[in-house]
C-alpha cells in the first residue's frame, strides 16, 4: 500500500487552505489587477483578454519555487535517512506550535509578518507575471509557512526528490487553480471572494486545528500507520 495516495489529497487541501488564508485571499483582486494592468474597480466593466494567461504565468512562477523546495526537501530526507524519525518528531512538535498560532491560542510575531513587495505599477508581459509569482512565493512564505511546512515535512519524509516534487506540485495546484478560476471568471469571482473575506478567520482556525492534529500524529508515530489504514480502506 502506498501512503502517497492519501498524502497527495492532503497536499491539495493544504494549497486550498493557503489560498483562503487571511494574507492571500484579500489580496487576490490586487494581484489580478496588477498582472493585467487594470484597476480593481474596473473589473466590473472591463475584462482584459489576457487576464487568464497572466494568471497562468503567475501560478507557474510561484509553482516553480514551491516544486524546487519539494525536490530539496525530498533530497534532504534521503540524505538524513538515519535520523529522519527524530526529524519527523521535531517537525510534529513544530507543527503543533504553528497550529496553535493559526488558531490564535498563541502568537508568533515572525509568522505575522507579511513582506509587502514594492512592485511596479503595471506588468510588462507574461514573463513579468511569472517573475512576480516567484517573488510571491518568497515574500509571503512567513504567512503560508505553517501550512507549507507541513507539506515540506511530508516531502522530506517521502525521502525522494520525485515524491517531493509531486507533493509540492499538488500543493501548487490547490493554491493556483483558484487563482486561475478567479482570473477566468473575474467579474463574478471577485465579488464572491470579497464576501468570503469575512470567513478567513474561521478558515485559519480550521487550518490550525488540522496542523495540530497532524503534529500530534507525527509526534506519536501514528501518522504513517493512519495513512496506510486510510489507503487500505478509502479508494481515492
Amino acid at each position: 500500500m502506498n501512503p502517497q495516495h492519501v498524502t497527495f489529497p492532503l497536499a491539495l487541501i493544504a494549497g486550498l487552505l493557503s489560498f483562503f488564508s487571511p494574507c492571500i485571499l484579500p489580496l487576490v483582486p490586487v494581484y489580478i489587477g496588477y498582472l493585467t494592468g487594470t484597476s480593481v474597480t474596473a473589473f466590473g466593466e472591463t475584462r482584459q483578454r489576457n487576464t487568464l494567461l497572466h494568471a497562468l504565468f503567475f501560478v507557474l512562477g510561484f509553482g516553480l519555487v514551491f516544486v524546487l523546495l519539494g525536490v530539496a526537501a525530498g533530497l534532504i530526507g534521503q540524505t538524513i535517512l538515519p535520523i529522519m524519525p527524530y526529524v519527523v518528531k521535531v517537525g510534529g512538535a513544530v507543527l503543533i506550535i504553528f497550529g496553535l498560532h493559526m488558531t490564535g491560542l498563541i502568537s508568533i510575531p515572525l509568522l505575522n509578518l507579511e513582506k509587502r513587495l514594492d512592485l511596479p505599477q503595471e506588468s510588462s508581459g507574461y514573463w513579468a507575471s511569472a517573475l512576480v509569482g516567484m517573488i510571491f512565493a518568497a515574500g509571503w512564505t512567513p504567512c503560508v509557512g505553517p501550512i507549507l511546512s507541513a507539506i515540506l515535512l511530508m516531502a522530506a519524509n517521502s525521502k525522494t526528490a520525485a515524491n517531493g516534487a509531486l507533493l509540492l506540485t499538488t500543493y501548487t495546484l490547490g493554491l493556483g487553480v483558484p487563482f486561475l478560476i478567479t482570473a477566468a471568471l473575474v467579474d463574478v469571482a471577485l465579488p464572491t471572494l470579497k464576501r468570503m473575506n469575512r470567513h478567513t478567520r474561521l478558515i485559519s482556525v480550521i487550518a490550525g486545528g488540522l496542523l495540530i492534529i497532524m503534529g500530534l500524529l507525527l509526534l506519536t508515530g501514528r501518522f504513517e500507520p493512519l495513512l496506510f489504514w486510510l489507503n487500505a480502506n478509502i479508494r481515492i
Side-chain angles (χ1 to χ4, degrees):
M1 300 293 179
N2 186 358
Q4 294 299 332
H5 292 167
V6 179
T7 55
F8 288 137
L10 290 178
L12 185 67
I13 293 171
L16 289 170
L17 289 173
S18 294
F19 176 82
F20 290 105
S21 66
C23 64
I24 292 183
L25 184 63
L27 294 174
V28 171
V30 177
Y31 269 104
I32 292 181
Y34 163 74
L35 292 173
T36 61
T38 306
S39 68
V40 177
T41 56
F43 275 126
E45 303 172 0
T46 305
R47 176 202 290 243
Q48 296 201 3
R49 295 179 181 177
N50 60 357
T51 300
L52 184 57
L53 280 175
H54 275 291
L56 177 60
F57 275 79
F58 177 72
V59 170
L60 290 175
F62 69 69
L64 175 63
V65 175
F66 289 147
V67 170
L68 290 177
L69 286 175
V71 170
L75 290 174
I76 291 172
Q78 188 176 40
T79 302
I80 61 174
L81 187 60
I83 63 170
M84 195 61 203
Y86 302 102
V87 173
V88 168
K89 290 184 182 299
V90 172
V94 171
L95 290 185
I96 292 172
I97 295 172
F98 283 169
L100 292 171
H101 168 79
M102 292 192 71
T103 59
L105 294 176
I106 65 173
S107 178
I108 304 175
L110 180 63
L111 297 180
N112 289 325
L113 294 176
E114 294 179 32
K115 187 176 180 182
R116 302 287 180 169
L117 302 169
D118 186 16
L119 297 171
Q121 291 299 310
E122 189 170 315
S123 174
S124 58
Y126 298 132
W127 292 112
S129 296
L131 178 60
V132 173
M134 296 173 69
I135 297 172
F136 165 89
W140 265 259
T141 295
C143 184
V144 300
I147 298 175
L148 180 60
S149 296
I151 305 305
L152 289 175
L153 185 60
M154 290 166 57
N157 197 38
S158 73
K159 306 176 187 68
T160 69
N163 280 336
L166 287 173
L167 278 169
L168 270 294
T169 298
T170 307
Y171 172 81
T172 298
L173 288 174
L175 178 57
V177 168
F179 269 107
L180 298 179
I181 293 174
T182 303
L185 305 173
V186 63
D187 294 331
V188 176
L190 289 182
T192 302
L193 291 181
K194 289 178 181 178
R195 288 193 296 270
M196 292 184 65
N197 283 341
R198 70 190 71 171
H199 302 298
T200 54
R201 177 59 192 153
L202 174 61
I203 293 170
S204 289
V205 171
I206 293 173
L210 292 175
L211 285 182
I212 292 172
I213 293 171
M214 182 176 177
L216 287 171
L217 291 171
L218 290 170
L219 196 59
T220 58
R222 297 179 182 274
F223 185 67
E224 285 202 13
L226 176 62
L227 293 184
F228 278 109
W229 183 87
L230 290 173
N231 191 64
N233 292 276
I234 301 175
R235 300 302 175 188
I236 300 177

